[in-house]
Amino acid sequence: MGLTIAEKILAQHAGLDSVRPGELVNVRVDMVLGNDITAPLAIHEFRKIGLDKVFDRDRIALVPDHFTPNKDIKSAEQCRELREFAREQQITYYFEIGRMGIEHVLLPEMGLALPGEIIIGADSHTCTYGALGALATGVGSTDMAAAMALGEAWFKVPETLKFIFQGKLHPWVSGKDLILYVIGKIGVDGALDRSMEFCGPVIEALSIDSRLAMCNMAIEAGAMCGMIAPDDIALAYVASRAKRPFAPVWPDEDAEYERTIVFDAAAIEPQVAFPHLPENTRGISEVGEVRLDQVVIGSCTNGRMEDLRLAAGLLRGKKVHRDVRLIIIPGSQQIYRQAMHEGLFDIFLEAEAVISTPTCGPCLGGHMGILADGERALATTNRNFVGRMGHPGSEVYLSNPAVAAASAVTGKISAPWEVL
Amino acid sequence: MEGNVHKFGDNVDTDVIIPARYLNTSDPAELARHVMEDADPAFLQKVRLGDLIVAQKNFGCGSSREHAPLAIKAAGISAVIAHSFARIFYRNAINIGLPILESPEAAEKIAPGDRVRVDLAAGRIDNLTSGEQYQATPFTPFMQDLVEKGGLIPYVRWRLRSDAGNRKPDTENSDR
Ligand code: SF4
């Protein structure tokens, strides 16, 4: 019997010929990731184990991205813990501000998430790297600590759901819309514990940035991971970046799926998720009148070059609505610089938007754009839970960057073509 | 363990369990002061040591923050019973030793304020108020082992002691 891509990667890393869904396996991990919120806890737990050294200083990434540049004294203390641990253990991939990015933007960009690998991160959106054919999944701080000690993690082999996208993509529809559409169909626990495999002609034509945005939100359906089999586009992306040798893995022709769901992309319009769950999606034509106080373009979902270019294309020569604050957050230093070189900053500043240094910032209600009671934001981020961006009485709507940019101009949730 | 029940609905997410505005610390006692605050601002005042949380589907969805089960545990909650748990929360709870039980029947039938007793090893839940009894999905042997060793860190210490080789947890079938 053939294996899905997740099964095959797990089997290889467990030293087995084959695995079946439901089986528990202990696997070797290629990379262990933590950030300024989750790594301090992991470091405390690591100390309890009593080892002096981490398993491999080249296979741990520490990224202070959530509350950085340090938003308050306690955050500064947490970042210091991270920094001191990185120095003590001589961690190769510690990314200080000025050289960093949002972790899930940064790792693919730096060639630290590669096809066929297993990557665990003490952050739920670690699943992003499935876009490059890595089995990547979020874990907690204690799992991170154990992996820093042993270089291993235990998993239950997931069932796999296969999503095939056929037909022709609407021009304003991106990976973000495809995943919002799927979550709207199957619900926030629709892929609980599962691997989601995305394929079909629409996915094959999708850019890497769009694929990363898509797999980023697999966790929003409850999944262990979101996977796209590596193709020429993915292999070309990693070729010049890879920091270590890797071996791509593809699903078998006769792999067994729990369920296969086929979507016609032509039927999918830009999506908006209403408060307070990512599954509350509507097509843009069914949104109605939703006035906004703030628009955020950024995050590990949509803070990449493609996203900023899309936004700039719509904002060129226009002004942000006078009742709206537009906050743009490039996902990494590299993207920040590239956007500046391409003249996107001029467009954003002309439009009277704010440009932030790379940070998670408002995405999780940290800093750089917290909402007051009753305020409403449209964001290109991935979660719209109660209080996610600030006051529990505020509201977050989710969309792609084109809808976000257009809406910043009109002051209400709008389709991109309304401002053309 | 025995206590009174505080009931919640579907998709209780980790942002509600412990909002990010309190994540600039990982001190369990400090986190516990804000547990469930965005779902029920009076929650902490109502909780007595040993009380239980009973919730519906997908409890603990969202972020991987281990601060969520830590805050629940430090607030004195003895166990969480739910129809189902989100994957990372489930792992984290087992890893840090917060007892959790999956039982759709208990999640449906237990009423707010009911007094409930839990036998973790047997996976049995007794509703002392209604006299009903419910069965939870049993832990797999590997997870039972983790729980008995006191969580993942003691397990890792045991692993490092027992041998330095490539020991694997015994391969087994499970539904979790
Ligand atoms: S950008 Fe948001 S979702 Fe992504 S890692 Fe940061 S806080 Fe998490």
Side-chain angles (χ1 to χ4, degrees):
Chain A
M1 191 50 68
L3 301 181
T4 71
I5 184 164
E7 289 162 3
K8 209 186 265 185
I9 295 175
L10 284 168
Q12 283 184 0
H13 283 72
L16 302 169
D17 294 331
S18 183
V19 293
R20 301 303 307 154
E23 203 174 302
L24 278 192
V25 288
N26 202 44
V27 297
R28 181 173 59 70
V29 296
D30 295 291
M31 197 82 203
V32 183
L33 163 74
N35 59 51
D36 53 318
I37 307 271
T38 59
L41 251 181
I43 294 166
H44 298 168
E45 295 304 308
F46 178 80
R47 302 278 189 219
K48 288 185 197 162
I49 296 171
L51 286 179
D52 316 330
K53 284 273 160 229
V54 296
F55 82 107
D56 186 343
R57 68 186 192 96
D58 294 328
R59 292 188 181 271
I60 293 167
L62 296 175
V63 189
D65 58 353
H66 278 58
F67 292 166
T68 57
N70 305 337
K71 76 168 175 122
D72 54 27
I73 294 170
K74 284 181 173 174
S75 307
E77 305 284 353
Q78 299 211 105
C79 288
R80 189 179 59 190
E81 267 190 70
L82 211 67
R83 190 176 300 120
E84 286 177 352
F85 183 75
R87 283 195 194 131
E88 169 201 310
Q89 295 289 328
Q90 298 177 293
I91 302 291
T92 313
Y93 301 114
Y94 168 73
F95 296 94
E96 191 54 85
I97 63 161
R99 294 184 280 277
M100 54 77 86
I102 300 171
E103 49 193 344
H104 311 308
V105 177
L106 190 67
L107 261 59
E109 185 183 276
M110 299 301 293
L112 292 172
L114 299 165
E117 292 193 332
I118 293 186
I119 300 167
I120 64 167
D123 190 282
S124 59
H125 292 104
T126 302
C127 55
T128 307
Y129 323 134
L132 301 172
L135 190 148
T137 191
V139 296
S141 297
T142 299
D143 271 312
M144 181 189 173
M148 287 200 297
L150 300 174
E152 293 173 5
W154 64 271
F155 289 113
K156 188 191 75 167
V157 177
E159 295 273 3
T160 300
L161 300 173
K162 185 177 186 174
F163 299 88
I164 306 175
F165 291 87
Q166 284 171 337
K168 203 168 147 26
L169 208 59
H170 186 286
W172 293 103
V173 170
S174 66
K176 176 66 164 288
D177 303 291
L178 298 181
I179 189 67
L180 281 175
Y181 185 81
V182 169
I183 297 165
K185 290 280 176 223
I186 68 174
V188 291
D189 63 351
L192 193 63
D193 281 347
R194 309 294 197 276
S195 169
M196 301 170 88
E197 217 172 281
F198 305 114
C199 58
V202 171
I203 304 298
E204 283 158 30
L206 225 50
S207 69
I208 289 294
D209 285 1
S210 241
R211 294 181 191 188
L212 289 163
M214 220 176 151
C215 292
N216 174 271
M217 290 191 70
I219 179 69
E220 259 56 69
M224 173 187 184
C225 55
M227 309 276 316
I228 297 175
D231 60 3
D232 290 349
I233 294 178
L235 294 174
Y237 176 86
V238 294
S240 58
R241 305 165 192 264
K243 290 280 195 296
R244 46 183 181 250
F246 62 94
V249 167
W250 293 274
D252 290 327
E253 290 280 338
D254 58 346
E256 231 184 84
Y257 296 91
E258 186 184 31
R259 236 171 102 203
T260 298
I261 304 166
V262 184
F263 293 115
D264 177 11
I268 304 176
E269 53 172 343
Q271 302 287 303
V272 176
F274 276 51
H276 291 284
L277 281 177
E279 70 181 22
N280 295 336
T281 54
R282 296 188 199 171
I284 189 78
S285 62
E286 283 148 16
V287 164
E289 171 107 354
V290 182
R291 297 237 144 241
L292 299 169
D293 301 293
Q294 179 166 299
V295 173
V296 176
I297 299 176
S299 85
C300 60
T301 321
N302 286 120
R304 297 189 180 79
M305 269 325 290
E306 174 179 288
D307 307 315
L308 300 186
R309 287 186 189 126
L310 262 171
L314 288 162
L315 290 167
R316 190 189 309 270
K318 300 195 185 64
K319 295 278 186 217
V320 172
H321 190 275
R322 63 187 165 82
D323 296 333
V324 173
R325 298 138 2 213
L326 172 57
I327 301 168
I328 298 178
I329 312 178
S332 71
Q333 291 286 129
Q334 242 183 64
I335 292 169
Y336 192 95
R337 185 177 208 157
Q338 176 75 20
M340 191 177 72
H341 275 310
E342 291 184 14
L344 307 190
F345 282 8
D346 287 330
I347 297 171
F348 297 150
L349 294 170
E350 274 297 314
E352 295 169 348
V354 163
I355 306 166
S356 160
T357 190
T359 179
C360 294
C363 169
L364 82 161
H367 59 152
M368 288 298 300
I370 304 305
L371 299 175
D373 190 10
E375 284 194 325
R376 196 180 280 147
L378 175 65
T380 66
T381 58
N382 44 42
R383 288 192 176 134
N384 54 353
F385 301 149
V386 171
R388 176 72 179 175
M389 203 171 271
H391 194 283
S394 61
E395 287 184 348
V396 179
Y397 293 69
L398 306 174
S399 76
N400 75 26
V403 171
S407 305
V409 171
T410 61
K412 55 184 182 18
I413 298 181
S414 306
W417 48 89
E418 288 176 45
V419 300
L420 285 182
Chain B
M1 45 195 77
E2 185 183 317
N4 293 336
V5 164
H6 304 270
K7 241 192 142 177
F8 294 90
D10 285 341
N11 304 315
V12 172
D13 62 78
T14 51
D15 279 84
V16 158
I17 298 172
I18 182 74
R21 56 185 181 277
Y22 305 119
L23 294 184
N24 52 10
T25 177
S26 46
D27 173 25
E30 214 173 309
L31 294 168
R33 281 204 282 278
H34 303 288
V35 69
M36 304 302 282
E37 157 183 308
D38 285 357
D40 176 3
F43 180 72
L44 202 62
Q45 278 116 61
K46 293 187 237 168
V47 170
R48 296 285 162 272
L49 194 68
D51 281 0
L52 292 94
I53 287 177
V54 176
Q56 301 303 318
K57 279 197 226 162
N58 205 24
F59 185 86
C61 64
S63 139
S64 71
R65 61 188 72 158
E66 209 162 283
H67 311 64
L70 273 179
I72 291 176
K73 197 178 167 195
I77 296 289
S78 64
V80 182
I81 301 170
H83 179 110
S84 60
F85 289 91
R87 171 180 170 275
I88 307 175
F89 183 92
Y90 189 92
R91 270 187 97 95
N92 288 347
I94 303 267
N95 284 347
I96 68 154
L98 170 71
I100 54 176
L101 296 107
E102 214 169 46
S103 170
E105 198 197 356
E108 188 197 319
K109 292 195 175 150
I110 294 175
D114 280 1
R115 191 143 187 96
V116 161
R117 185 188 298 141
V118 169
D119 179 341
L120 204 57
R124 211 184 62 227
I125 303 163
D126 284 302
N127 188 335
L128 305 177
T129 305
S130 71
E132 288 173 335
Q133 203 179 85
Y134 326 101
Q135 192 58 42
T137 316
F139 283 147
T140 65
F142 172 65
M143 275 171 216
Q144 187 66 46
D145 191 29
L146 269 188
V147 172
E148 276 163 19
K149 287 197 167 59
L152 188 64
I153 296 302
Y155 172 82
V156 171
R157 274 203 235 111
W158 169 80
R159 270 282 311 277
L160 290 166
R161 261 201 321 272
S162 63
D163 63 46
N166 292 321
R167 275 201 53 121
K168 292 193 306 239
D170 302 326
T171 296
E172 59 189 42
N173 285 305
S174 77
D175 53 3
R176 183 80 210 181

